[in-house]
Amino acid sequence: MTPPKLLDEAALKARELQIINSAVLLIQKIGIENLTMDKVVAEVPFSKGTVYKHFIGKEDLLLAISNYAIGLLADLFYRAYQFKGCARSRMLLLNFSYLIYAMLYPALFQTVLCAKSPNVVGKSSEKHIKEGERLDVKLMTSINGIVEDALNDGSLVLPLNMDVQQICFSNWSMAYGAISLLSGEVEQCSGRTSLIVERELFNHSNLLHDGMGWQPLTKDSSHCNELKIALDKLFPQELAKIKAKGRELNFDSFSSPA
Amino acid sequence: MTPPKLLDEAALKARELQIINSAVLLIQKIGIENLTMDKVVAEVPFSKGTVYKHFIGKEDLLLAISNYAIGLLADLFYRAYQFKGCARSRMLLLNFSYLIYAMLYPALFQTVLCAKSPNVVGKSSEKHIKEGERLDVKLMTSINGIVEDALNDGSLVLPLNMDVQQICFSNWSMAYGAISLLSGEVEQCSGRTSLIVERELFNHSNLLHDGMGWQPLTKDSSHCNELKIALDKLFPQELAKIKAKGRELNFDSFSSPA
DNA sequence: TTAATATGTGACGATTCGTCACTGACGAAA
DNA sequence: TTTCGTCAGTGACGAATCGTCACATATTAA
């Protein structure tokens, strides 16, 4: 039996993270649908009661993993925000960083999808729900930064009756909707649809941004080529990892319909 | 003990529907997070073994309920498709019928969100997965019809490198993303965000359709007023039910940012 | 009439969950 | 130094949930 000792916040957080990491590995091994607390407990050097001190149940653990994943994604978003290039290209790059993350960390991506489900929220602790809300704001920060840059340089003018937050939300919900509905196509083509997630994401981004009047418009620019170059510059290691998993972004599909 | 008897497809389907209806009522009573098979069995005049003949588990039941909900939604979509009006207005109307359905049947709406989650799909029968795929196609049928009408009357020209299916998917994923991410605002304002689901849905529809060049453009039309009138004409009873639940579509918010 | 088939049942064992009495380390008080 | 109180870790245990299938019954076929 591990001797009890006084714990500070950092030690608690480190232990929580250790449990989360073990759970993620387990999800990769057995699939998210077979995850149970007993199985997680078997993977960590802590007792069941200790694990329940961190998470009130499986759904709370899933939410905590989701929060961790959103934190990772926010880092990718930040890198896209910082990239040198016109604002609209950076937003497109940011949208693709979401797809990169989903391809790179399918277990984390799936956990976020699960965590957005009503039955997970209904069985999670206030602590992790609040943390999730803060992370959602963090996720919006880079989107917000790009929109502000675009407003400042004049490439974007706020559409009538819309403010910055709404613009940011429209971009996020567009990417979220497309990638969620095509989640079965993220790791590989399922053969069940002719829709291609990277192509649809590209097209939806362009339609939405054109609808906003965000310069340069699609007809005036080679967004596809720029995106390719930018991705290679910003995420070379991530792209290499994805390639090593047998998946590549299918840029050729962008110029052909389904 | 109910005497065994030979069953035909219709009787099986009717029984399955009876179980589904009881489960929906139960979800309304106890919340989706507290649903268990034992509790469902307690609500229906069948044994546990009989219920398990229809659903291989709770997740399969959730998927079956979700399929039922999608069927309902497809009917609303069809009504929007049949409405008299310009194609773009009918598409906006169709998007709003999705919100109407979510407000009207929150338990069904939540079940669809749950059913799209990876852990539900991973624990469902091929039968209900396949049925879900067919219903997804059914859902797209009305969207498809409106797009075809728009192409035929010239109000929409296919954007470069996109086909009809992709246009349909972009509309659906846009609405799905917005309403899913704002699912906590569907029944009532949560106070946690200044985003308003009906306003964001309206704005995203307009941005996306403008991006497609779908006539009439937002700047040339009073989409808001038309929508209001169309909703009153097409869904008077549904709107009355929603109002009786203490919720109304906040059209006034459309002309003011967050 | 007997045997085979189809269907409904709920007792039962397996699994998962969440709790808490017990244990032990440590610091404070006597 | 000894005793007491507090804090943290533990896993046995009872409750809840799950999924199965031996048994019972009605109907059909031989």
Side-chain angles (χ1 to χ4, degrees):
Chain A
M1 156 139 140
T2 309
K5 56 184 172 181
L6 278 193
L7 286 172
D8 59 19
E9 271 300 309
L12 275 171
K13 191 69 206 174
R15 194 169 65 185
E16 181 156 316
L17 216 44
Q18 186 177 352
I19 300 170
I20 285 170
N21 284 327
S22 293
V24 172
L25 289 175
L26 191 57
I27 289 171
Q28 286 168 358
K29 194 170 13 170
I30 65 174
I32 201 166
E33 65 274 8
N34 298 312
L35 187 75
T36 67
M37 292 299 271
D38 276 345
K39 289 172 186 167
V40 173
V41 168
E43 299 287 321
V44 296
F46 313 114
S47 71
K48 200 167 183 182
T50 300
V51 172
Y52 272 97
K53 283 197 160 41
H54 289 269
F55 314 104
I56 63 173
K58 182 175 103 171
E59 289 75 18
D60 199 33
L61 170 62
L62 285 175
L63 180 57
I65 297 173
S66 170
N67 288 342
Y68 170 72
I70 303 266
L72 273 195
L73 180 59
D75 290 343
L76 292 190
F77 276 16
Y78 188 65
R79 282 161 68 185
Y81 159 66
Q82 287 196 304
F83 192 70
K84 301 307 172 200
C86 74
R88 178 164 160 168
S89 295
R90 285 152 67 210
M91 188 66 93
L92 182 60
L93 191 58
L94 180 145
N95 290 337
F96 268 79
S97 71
Y98 179 39
L99 184 55
I100 300 277
Y101 135 92
M103 291 170 153
L104 214 41
Y105 310 115
L108 293 181
F109 170 63
Q110 288 191 332
T111 307
V112 175
L113 293 183
C114 285
K116 296 255 185 236
S117 170
N119 62 321
V120 167
V121 174
K123 279 181 141 183
S124 294
S125 61
E126 206 58 34
K127 166 188 159 192
H128 288 122
I129 291 175
K130 282 286 187 290
E131 181 186 49
E133 286 168 1
R134 284 197 302 274
L135 284 160
D136 280 343
V137 171
K138 187 178 175 190
L139 204 49
M140 288 300 144
T141 302
S142 299
I143 298 181
N144 203 296
I146 293 175
V147 171
E148 296 280 6
D149 288 350
L151 292 175
N152 287 337
D153 71 28
S155 58
L156 175 67
V157 178
L158 282 181
L160 191 66
N161 297 327
M162 286 183 82
D163 64 13
V164 173
Q165 185 190 14
Q166 286 170 285
I167 294 290
C168 294
F169 176 71
S170 71
N171 189 78
W172 171 233
S173 67
M174 175 274 297
Y176 180 79
I179 295 181
S180 299
L181 288 176
L182 291 178
S183 57
E185 312 297 313
V186 165
E187 284 193 81
Q188 71 172 358
C189 246
S190 69
R192 267 193 307 269
T193 178
S194 54
L195 297 172
I196 300 170
V197 58
E198 53 260 40
R199 184 186 62 187
E200 308 326 318
L201 179 62
F202 179 74
N203 284 327
H204 295 194
S205 295
N206 287 340
L207 288 179
L208 186 67
H209 297 159
D210 281 350
M212 293 175 190
W214 197 339
Q215 310 292 327
L217 298 181
T218 302
K219 63 179 181 62
D220 300 325
S221 179
S222 50
H223 284 136
C224 176
N225 205 47
E226 283 179 11
L227 174 65
K228 212 161 152 190
I229 291 168
L231 284 171
D232 281 335
K233 268 202 198 159
L234 192 56
F235 301 115
Q237 297 183 322
E238 289 83 1
L239 289 175
K241 276 188 200 160
I242 290 166
K243 189 169 179 178
K245 292 169 76 169
R247 176 76 163 95
E248 285 191 271
L249 290 170
N250 185 356
F251 289 103
D252 291 342
S253 69
F254 290 10
S255 38
S256 55
Chain B
M1 154 135 140
T2 310
K5 57 185 173 181
L6 277 192
L7 285 174
D8 57 21
E9 272 299 310
L12 276 171
K13 191 68 203 171
R15 193 168 67 186
E16 179 157 317
L17 216 43
Q18 187 178 353
I19 299 169
I20 285 170
N21 285 327
S22 294
V24 172
L25 288 177
L26 191 57
I27 289 171
Q28 287 168 355
K29 195 174 3 175
I30 65 173
I32 201 168
E33 64 273 7
N34 297 314
L35 186 76
T36 67
M37 293 300 269
D38 276 344
K39 288 172 189 168
V40 174
V41 169
E43 299 287 321
V44 296
F46 312 115
S47 70
K48 201 167 183 181
T50 300
V51 172
Y52 271 97
K53 282 198 160 38
H54 290 270
F55 314 104
I56 64 172
K58 182 174 103 172
E59 288 77 17
D60 199 31
L61 171 61
L62 285 175
L63 180 57
I65 298 175
S66 170
N67 289 341
Y68 170 73
I70 303 264
L72 274 196
L73 179 59
D75 290 343
L76 292 191
F77 275 15
Y78 188 63
R79 282 161 68 183
Y81 159 66
Q82 286 196 305
F83 191 71
K84 302 306 170 200
C86 73
R88 180 165 158 167
S89 295
R90 283 152 66 209
M91 188 65 93
L92 182 60
L93 189 57
L94 179 144
N95 291 337
F96 267 78
S97 71
Y98 179 40
L99 185 55
I100 299 277
Y101 135 93
M103 289 169 156
L104 213 41
Y105 311 113
L108 294 181
F109 171 62
Q110 288 191 330
T111 307
V112 174
L113 293 183
C114 285
K116 296 252 185 232
S117 169
N119 62 321
V120 167
V121 175
K123 279 179 136 178
S124 293
S125 62
E126 206 57 36
K127 167 191 162 192
H128 288 121
I129 291 176
K130 283 285 187 292
E131 182 187 46
E133 287 168 359
R134 282 195 303 273
L135 284 160
D136 279 344
V137 171
K138 188 180 176 190
L139 204 49
M140 288 300 145
T141 302
S142 299
I143 298 180
N144 202 296
I146 293 174
V147 171
E148 295 281 6
D149 288 349
L151 292 174
N152 287 337
D153 71 29
S155 60
L156 175 66
V157 178
L158 282 182
L160 191 65
N161 298 327
M162 286 185 84
D163 65 13
V164 174
Q165 186 190 11
Q166 286 171 286
I167 295 291
C168 296
F169 177 71
S170 73
N171 189 78
W172 171 233
S173 67
M174 175 273 299
Y176 179 79
I179 295 182
S180 299
L181 288 175
L182 291 178
S183 58
E185 312 298 313
V186 166
E187 284 191 82
Q188 70 173 358
C189 246
S190 69
R192 269 196 304 270
T193 179
S194 52
L195 297 172
I196 300 171
V197 59
E198 54 262 40
R199 186 184 63 190
E200 310 324 321
L201 179 63
F202 179 73
N203 284 327
H204 294 193
S205 294
N206 287 340
L207 289 179
L208 184 68
H209 297 159
D210 282 349
M212 293 174 189
W214 197 338
Q215 309 294 324
L217 298 182
T218 302
K219 62 178 178 65
D220 301 324
S221 179
S222 51
H223 284 135
C224 177
N225 206 47
E226 282 178 12
L227 174 65
K228 212 162 153 187
I229 290 168
L231 285 170
D232 281 336
K233 267 201 200 162
L234 190 57
F235 302 116
Q237 297 182 319
E238 289 84 359
L239 288 175
K241 276 188 202 163
I242 289 166
K243 188 169 179 179
K245 293 169 76 169
R247 176 75 162 97
E248 285 192 271
L249 291 171
N250 185 356
F251 290 103
D252 291 341
S253 68
F254 290 10
S255 41
S256 53

